[in-house]
Amino acid sequence: MTQPSTHPPVDVIEATELHLIEKPPPRLSAEHQAARDRAWDELAHNNPALFDGPVVACTSLTQPSPHELVVGWARVTYRNFALRRVPGARALPALFVDVLQPTDDGALLVAQMSTATAHPGRWHLPGGSVEHPDAGQPLNTTALRHNAARELQEELGADTAPEDLTLWAVSRGNHGNIGIHFAAPPQPATTLNDRFTAALRATAAVSQAPELDRIAFVRRPADLKALDGPHVDYLEPLVNRYAQLLL
């Protein structure tokens, strides 16, 4: 059995109000740009599934009041994160969304990433990076809800409406990555299993690699230790908070 990886402490903020403000990405020196591109080319060579598509990065995070957060964000591509491998360079942290999907008997769904992803075998909540909106379109909580609902549909086959997702918490973890965590209405575990199986079959039918290998259900942080593989740094703190709220 593989024990969970050790990560820096994760901040979990119980935000109920979120404001997102677009900022320009920091300028890079020619030296850092070249080193970034070399690092990205190496990563892409080792994992052909990597795609340098549009993505949102976080430029700042402030908390003007106990339940209010202001997130600065910038338009980048996945290549930005290769700066983590460049000494002296600063890679903007990622901004991602995911969903706490409970069952009707109080368990919480977790998912394992497939070999076709950047982190094969890792357990997380269903979700993913945020693609930046088209020019002139806002990035706000409503847009993030739609992004999270789309991830549920693509990964689990769940048809949860965006307006049924509730902002549950915000986390700041490894590399400073910012997670916007939504909660979905409970569903029976059998329904979730059936829809996930159907989603895997639909993906295979068009000869595509799935993003997830399997799903499991946990109730407390101790249950994560029974899962074969590492998990993301925010998972244990969120599962712990979820379990505490059920008490």
Side-chain angles (χ1 to χ4, degrees):
M1 182 188 306
T2 303
Q3 296 297 322
S5 300
T6 300
H7 293 287
V10 175
D11 294 329
V12 178
I13 307 166
E14 300 176 22
T16 56
E17 189 174 349
L18 195 62
H19 304 284
L20 295 106
I21 302 174
E22 184 173 3
K23 302 287 185 179
R27 298 185 63 179
L28 294 176
S29 67
E31 179 183 0
H32 282 166
Q33 286 186 44
R36 176 203 61 189
D37 292 343
R38 289 193 299 270
W40 173 260
D41 290 343
E42 181 180 353
L43 290 169
H45 176 77
N46 294 332
N47 186 353
L50 291 181
F51 171 64
D52 191 24
V55 69
V56 167
C58 182
T59 61
S60 61
L61 180 68
T62 57
Q63 190 172 9
S65 63
H67 296 285
E68 179 187 12
L69 286 177
V70 178
V71 179
W73 66 276
R75 300 168 187 265
V76 299
T77 69
Y78 282 96
R79 186 180 299 260
N80 162 79
F81 304 124
L83 285 168
R84 295 169 182 165
R85 295 170 172 255
V86 178
R90 176 184 175 232
L92 291 176
L95 180 71
F96 66 92
V97 295
D98 61 30
V99 180
L100 291 94
Q101 175 60 70
T103 64
D104 52 7
D105 63 350
L108 187 66
L109 184 149
V110 294
Q112 188 175 40
M113 301 179 77
S114 76
T115 55
T117 64
H119 302 284
R122 193 171 73 174
W123 290 90
H124 68 148
L125 297 175
S129 301
V130 178
E131 291 187 9
H132 56 68
D134 294 335
Q137 297 300 312
L139 182 65
N140 51 28
T141 306
T142 298
L144 294 178
R145 281 195 181 93
H146 280 269
N147 196 294
R150 184 173 64 250
E151 293 286 348
L152 275 184
Q153 174 64 44
E154 293 175 354
E155 295 185 354
L156 299 181
D159 56 357
T160 304
E163 55 269 24
D164 290 336
L165 298 178
T166 303
L167 181 61
W168 193 80
V170 175
S171 68
R172 176 167 46 195
N174 199 20
H175 301 298
N177 293 336
I178 303 300
I180 312 297
H181 310 285
F182 294 95
Q187 295 193 46
T190 53
T191 299
L192 294 169
N193 272 313
D194 289 346
R195 288 180 174 172
F196 177 61
T197 300
L200 288 180
R201 289 173 178 166
T203 300
V206 294
S207 301
Q208 292 182 354
E211 292 188 49
L212 305 178
D213 271 343
R214 59 187 177 122
I215 60 174
F217 300 96
V218 300
R219 297 179 183 274
R220 57 191 64 84
D223 296 341
L224 298 174
K225 296 180 180 179
L227 300 177
D228 184 19
H231 56 73
V232 292
D233 57 347
Y234 67 80
L235 188 56
E236 184 172 346
L238 290 188
V239 171
N240 181 61
R241 178 173 182 251
Y242 174 80
Q244 293 296 320
L245 291 175
L246 290 181
L247 295 179

